[in-house]
Amino acid sequence: MTTPSLLVPFYEHPAQRPEAWAALVGAAPSLYGVVLNPASGAGPAPDPAFAGAAGRLREAGVRVLGYADTAYGRRPQAEVVAELLRHRDWYGADGAFLDQVATAPEALAHYRRIAVAARAAGAATLVFNHGAHPDPGYEAQADLLVTFEGPWDTYRTLDLPVTARYCHLVYAAPAGFRPATPVHCAVPGAGAHPWGTLPHLPEPAR
């Protein structure tokens, strides 16, 4: 039985990369979830192509996590929650992927309020993307904490803590490489848009 372990941030439009989105649906048993990011968030209006892709993922039993940037605590709670509500209403997102989450304890109260509101808005799964190791207080607020996001050349030099609640997102990674955390993602993409590629196994031929 396949353990669902891949958290995939795939920031490509379904109309432009239909074969890649089909590959994600085909890889459903291995997926922890897919981050839905139509326009650095939910976008100004519903996008039918993303709605269709999200529906196919949900039918395959995959969590759909709506993307919202929190600007390291600078973005007001109301804006973040409004974004998550659009993801829920337009795309049926059943979880949330909060990006650029602060790591310092001073921001804990702000993120605690966001977490409570996100749960109330229907986010059954909540992921915080810190990109670095955060204060331990954040562990009580989310189901999964991304404690590393960066290139493989950096990742391979580090000895990072690993728990079931941590996730590592690694780009510019060689084929066959698997990050240390149970939930993870490693993609071959590099440069300014690494998350325009899928993990090696589900990535279709182009």
Side-chain angles (χ1 to χ4, degrees):
M1 183 175 179
T2 303
T3 301
S5 59
L6 290 173
L7 173 63
V8 182
F10 186 53
Y11 302 157
E12 289 284 329
H13 198 281
Q16 297 172 345
R17 294 286 305 281
E19 80 290 350
W21 284 91
L24 275 179
V25 174
S30 67
L31 300 179
Y32 176 89
V34 173
V35 182
L36 202 73
N37 187 13
S40 296
D47 185 318
F50 273 101
R56 289 188 291 275
L57 287 168
R58 289 196 314 275
E59 288 171 6
V62 179
R63 294 180 179 94
V64 175
L65 308 176
Y67 175 98
D69 186 356
T70 70
Y72 298 108
R74 296 187 301 273
R75 192 177 186 195
Q77 172 193 335
E79 286 187 14
V80 175
V81 175
E83 186 112 69
L84 298 181
L85 287 170
R86 290 195 291 274
H87 277 295
R88 182 198 68 187
D89 295 343
W90 296 348
Y91 306 115
D94 49 11
F97 181 90
L98 302 186
D99 200 14
Q100 299 199 112
V101 176
T103 58
E106 291 78 12
L108 268 169
H110 175 69
Y111 283 99
R112 188 176 298 114
R113 291 190 293 271
I114 288 177
V116 169
R119 301 288 193 192
T125 301
L126 189 56
V127 179
F128 282 0
N129 182 15
H130 304 274
H133 198 69
D135 182 89
Y138 287 94
E139 295 184 27
Q141 312 309 321
D143 299 287
L144 199 64
L145 308 180
V146 178
T147 58
F148 178 88
E149 180 183 359
W152 178 71
D153 278 349
T154 299
Y155 185 75
R156 63 179 179 165
T157 68
L158 303 176
D159 184 16
L160 298 171
V162 172
T163 76
R165 300 281 295 277
Y166 294 167
C167 172
H168 295 162
L169 302 179
V170 184
Y171 54 82
F177 169 72
R178 183 182 185 275
T181 50
V183 179
H184 55 265
C185 190
V187 301
H193 185 46
W195 304 115
T197 55
L198 292 178
H200 289 281
L201 288 178
E203 179 79 312
R206 298 183 66 181

